Amino acid sequence: MDNRAIGYMDSGVGGLTAVKQALYQLPNEQVKYVGDTLRMPYGPRRTEEVAKFSLQIGHYLNETADGIKLLVIACNTATAAALPLLQEHLPIPVVGVIQPGVEAALNATDNNVVGVIATQGTVDSNAYYNGLMAGNPGIDVHQLATPDLVTLVESNEQDHDKKLAIVREQLAGLAGSGIDTLILGCTHFPLLMDEIQEVVGDEVTLVNAGAEAINLVEQILDDSDARHGIYPMSNHEVDQYYTTGSVDTFGEIATRWLDIPVSVKHLKTDANDLTLIEGE
Ligand code: DGL
């Protein structure tokens, strides 16, 4: 039994797609989340920079308040850049979102033609391509960087038609590819699930990599006997959400997406540190 929270990190609100699955699948577990909205997007940044930010956030989550018992790197770009680094530097289990996404796609595909939409950083890392090939060398992989979908989600746009137009334009490169499965290889993208499904068609299975990672989290908690001890732990009001950007925008998106009231605190970023700004 371990009553510490599970930590989540992302460049912004994207990691909330993993949190949403965790609230459903592991409702007894507290959440401690950092969205690095000020330094978003991570996708176009250098690998070393994303690794540095990820390490900074991992340390913050692990070393403030009661710490965390496990970290989910709820960001594909950060997983590609920093999973082994964080596993090496933090004294807790660290879970990435890419391998769970790979495994779910390998299970879902019938025709072995799989698409991956992700940030430029994730596409350039080839982490999905290599993972899919390792699982099935006969697979046909179509990778596409769709960075505008990250900024679209963070813009908090609510108009379906406007969102649909941008999704259609960003996904144009997949037309005629014959994919039967599409990995949402950026945790922001499930927030556009309806529009993406409309563009690719109902016959294409969408894989939500962030949500898939929660199966691995559950397995680690069980293997290490680390589930929250008090059942039911109904008080998600004490969950902790932090952003380095706008508290209001983050709070609005989080409350709507998670369908629970979320109160958000502001973190200030310095070159090497994150500092909690009280009262903001
Ligand atoms: N949500 C992130 C991911 O899964 C990154 C988006 C970004 O900051 O570019 O890759």
Side-chain angles (χ1 to χ4, degrees):
M1 167 182 121
D2 188 335
N3 289 351
R4 289 176 297 173
I6 296 172
Y8 300 85
M9 59 149 295
D10 180 51
S11 64
V13 293
L16 296 172
T17 58
V19 172
K20 190 178 177 85
Q21 179 63 23
L23 291 175
Y24 168 75
Q25 192 171 337
L26 300 169
N28 210 27
E29 302 296 337
Q30 308 265 199
V31 175
K32 189 174 175 189
Y33 185 105
V34 171
D36 195 4
T37 321
L38 186 74
R39 299 185 290 194
M40 187 283 300
Y42 277 7
R45 290 186 183 273
R46 285 182 303 111
T47 307
E48 299 72 33
E49 199 170 29
V50 175
K52 182 182 159 188
F53 295 166
S54 304
L55 198 55
Q56 199 180 36
I57 296 168
H59 279 303
Y60 183 83
L61 285 165
N62 188 50
E63 284 145 33
T64 56
D66 296 326
I68 50 174
K69 59 183 165 188
L70 181 150
L71 174 66
V72 181
I73 309 180
C75 172
N76 292 264
T77 315
T79 298
L83 178 59
L85 184 77
L86 267 66
Q87 286 173 329
E88 188 191 326
H89 280 84
L90 296 176
I92 49 170
V94 180
V95 168
V97 289
I98 292 181
Q99 192 54 30
V102 164
E103 283 164 24
L106 289 170
N107 283 332
T109 185
D110 285 326
N111 71 357
N112 291 328
V113 186
V114 173
V116 181
I117 50 171
T119 66
Q120 194 63 54
T122 302
V123 169
D124 290 347
S125 77
N126 270 327
Y128 274 107
Y129 179 84
N130 293 336
L132 289 163
M133 283 293 173
N136 176 0
I139 209 155
D140 188 6
V141 182
H142 295 259
Q143 294 198 86
L144 187 66
T146 55
D148 291 358
L149 301 188
V150 176
T151 32
L152 175 61
V153 167
E154 293 284 346
S155 75
N156 200 11
E157 175 63 63
Q158 287 310 296
D159 186 300
H160 173 72
D161 290 341
K162 281 190 190 154
K163 291 194 279 183
L164 191 63
I166 296 172
V167 170
R168 203 179 287 291
E169 188 256 316
Q170 285 277 288
L171 266 55
L174 289 177
S177 60
I179 57 167
D180 74 347
T181 303
L182 178 62
I183 301 176
L184 307 183
C186 170
T187 52
H188 280 72
F189 298 169
L191 284 123
L192 297 166
M193 188 84 94
D194 292 347
E195 289 80 11
I196 293 171
Q197 192 79 68
E198 195 171 330
V199 168
V200 296
D202 284 342
E203 61 287 0
V204 175
T205 304
L206 302 185
V207 171
N208 179 343
E212 293 296 336
I214 302 305
N215 293 324
L216 183 54
V217 171
E218 183 169 15
Q219 191 189 317
I220 293 171
L221 294 186
D222 283 342
D223 290 350
S224 53
D225 196 18
R227 282 192 187 242
H228 195 285
I230 305 158
Y231 190 82
M233 192 295 295
S234 52
N235 193 3
H236 281 292
E237 280 167 28
V238 298
D239 287 348
Q240 301 164 75
Y241 292 86
Y242 303 96
T243 176
T244 56
S246 159
V247 166
D248 291 343
T249 309
F250 187 101
E252 209 180 293
I253 297 174
T255 299
R256 190 174 54 239
W257 176 249
L258 299 178
D259 206 16
I260 52 169
V262 171
S263 77
V264 188
K265 293 194 169 131
H266 186 212
L267 287 181
K268 188 164 161 280
T269 51
D270 298 325
N272 294 308
D273 242 334
L274 292 171
T275 320
L276 179 63
I277 307 295
E278 295 288 354
E280 277 192 42

